[in-house]
């Protein structure tokens, strides 16, 4: 075990391969103009700043042969896994499934749905398509983590208060010891990111811990 001076108190990170790096939805749909994030009315460019930080963690987990799981939010091409409520929500001109400049919005396999090139997974790394905000809903994530003997999850990705927080809460309820990397996650709304970090670690770590990428890297070095 390695120990980090995380918030709200020390986090014990196993160094035997039972900790996995979870990279949530670092896909072009959320980080580049012309995708789902922009269709929702957001300035997507501000999310790109966390890419190098996640890259460092990705490399560190690769170097150790530890599990990395990436997710992408997206739907089947016939939208059979997209509830009408999700497609209709909001007042954007481009809805899920509509053709956009990077292919069909939030549809699996379309160019815009792909992970940003800087974080591209290796051929043997796991990428899970997910129809919801939480990565455990309607996916094989729980089975994959159990098959790998994972007990601890290190969370990164976007957006902090939507898919990252939802997944972290799902994981916490399933018994995983969760740590959110403060500078490895971001939101279109800085105040929402700050609030999420506080919510996670409030009440004695009701959802888990937070720490910086540098703290995680130093602990496992
Ligand atoms: N809109 C927004 O902030 N997020 C999402 O729709 N999905 C994810 O967070 N991945």
């Amino acid at each position: 075990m390695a120990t980090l001076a995380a918030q709200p108190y020390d986090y014990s990170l196993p160094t035997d391969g039972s900790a996995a790096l979870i990279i949530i939805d670092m896909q072009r749909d959320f980080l580049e103009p012309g995708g789902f994030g922009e269709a929702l009315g957001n300035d997507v460019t501000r999310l790109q700043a966390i890419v190098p930080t996640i890259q460092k963690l990705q490399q560190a987990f690769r170097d150790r042969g530890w599990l990395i799981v990436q997710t992408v939010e997206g739907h089947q091409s016939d939208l059979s896994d997209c509830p009408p409520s999700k497609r209709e929500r909001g007042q954007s001109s481009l809805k899920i499934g509509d053709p956009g400049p990077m292919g069909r919005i939030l549809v699996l396999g379309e160019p815009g749905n792909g992970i940003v090139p800087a974080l591209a997974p290796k051929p043997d790394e796991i990428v899970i398509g997910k129809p919801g905000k939480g990565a455990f809903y309607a996916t094989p994530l729980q089975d994959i983590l159990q098959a790998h003997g994972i007990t601890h999850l290190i969370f990164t990705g976007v957006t902090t208060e939507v898919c990252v927080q939802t997944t972290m809460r799902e994981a916490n309820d399933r018994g995983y010891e969760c740590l959110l990397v403060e500078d490895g996650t971001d939101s279109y709304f800085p105040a929402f990111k700050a609030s999420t970090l506080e919510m996670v670690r409030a009440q004695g770590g009701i959802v888990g811990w937070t720490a910086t990428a540098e703290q995680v890297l130093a602990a496992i070095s």
Side-chain angles (χ1 to χ4, degrees):
M1 284 282 184
T3 302
L4 296 74
Q7 296 191 62
Y9 59 92
D10 284 358
Y11 178 78
S12 296
L13 200 168
T15 51
D16 62 354
S18 55
L21 178 65
I22 309 293
I23 305 175
I24 303 283
D25 301 356
M26 289 298 286
Q27 60 201 76
R28 299 178 67 200
D29 260 315
F30 293 113
L31 275 81
E32 294 184 17
F36 186 56
E38 191 176 73
L40 295 174
N42 299 302
D43 169 12
V44 294
T45 54
R46 64 181 316 280
L47 300 191
Q48 288 160 14
I50 61 172
V51 170
T53 306
I54 299 177
Q55 253 181 333
K56 283 185 207 159
L57 291 164
Q58 186 184 42
Q59 191 58 52
F61 274 65
R62 274 182 187 154
D63 290 346
R64 289 159 182 77
W66 296 351
L67 186 69
I68 301 171
V69 177
Q70 297 217 48
T71 65
V72 288
E73 182 178 350
H75 296 279
Q76 303 293 326
S77 57
D78 63 0
L79 303 188
S80 57
D81 59 353
C82 181
S85 60
K86 183 176 180 183
R87 184 170 145 78
E88 295 307 322
R89 189 74 52 82
Q91 298 174 319
S92 63
S93 50
L94 279 178
K95 292 192 179 301
I96 295 168
D98 287 348
M102 296 193 290
R104 294 179 66 203
I105 299 285
L106 220 62
V107 170
L108 296 169
E110 296 287 328
N113 204 241
I115 291 166
V116 294
L119 296 173
K122 301 282 188 200
D124 61 338
E125 290 177 355
I126 296 169
V127 180
I128 294 177
K130 63 182 183 58
K133 303 305 182 191
F136 286 87
Y137 168 66
T139 75
L141 180 56
Q142 169 76 335
D143 289 344
I144 290 168
L145 296 176
Q146 284 186 331
H148 285 82
I150 299 298
T151 54
H152 289 60
L153 300 176
I154 306 300
F155 279 95
T156 61
V158 296
T159 61
T160 316
E161 79 282 9
V162 183
C163 291
V164 176
Q165 180 171 211
T166 302
T167 303
M168 197 168 168
R169 288 177 182 276
E170 288 179 326
N172 187 52
D173 281 347
R174 286 165 175 78
Y176 295 98
E177 301 284 18
C178 300
L179 182 138
L180 177 54
V181 180
E182 294 160 12
D183 48 345
T185 183
D186 212 344
S187 167
Y188 300 121
F189 305 91
F192 289 173
K193 171 181 171 174
S195 296
T196 302
L197 294 177
E198 288 196 25
M199 272 181 232
V200 161
R201 61 197 180 210
Q203 305 184 65
I206 194 105
V207 182
W209 287 259
T210 78
T212 64
E214 205 48 54
Q215 285 181 286
V216 173
L217 293 167
I220 64 178
S221 289

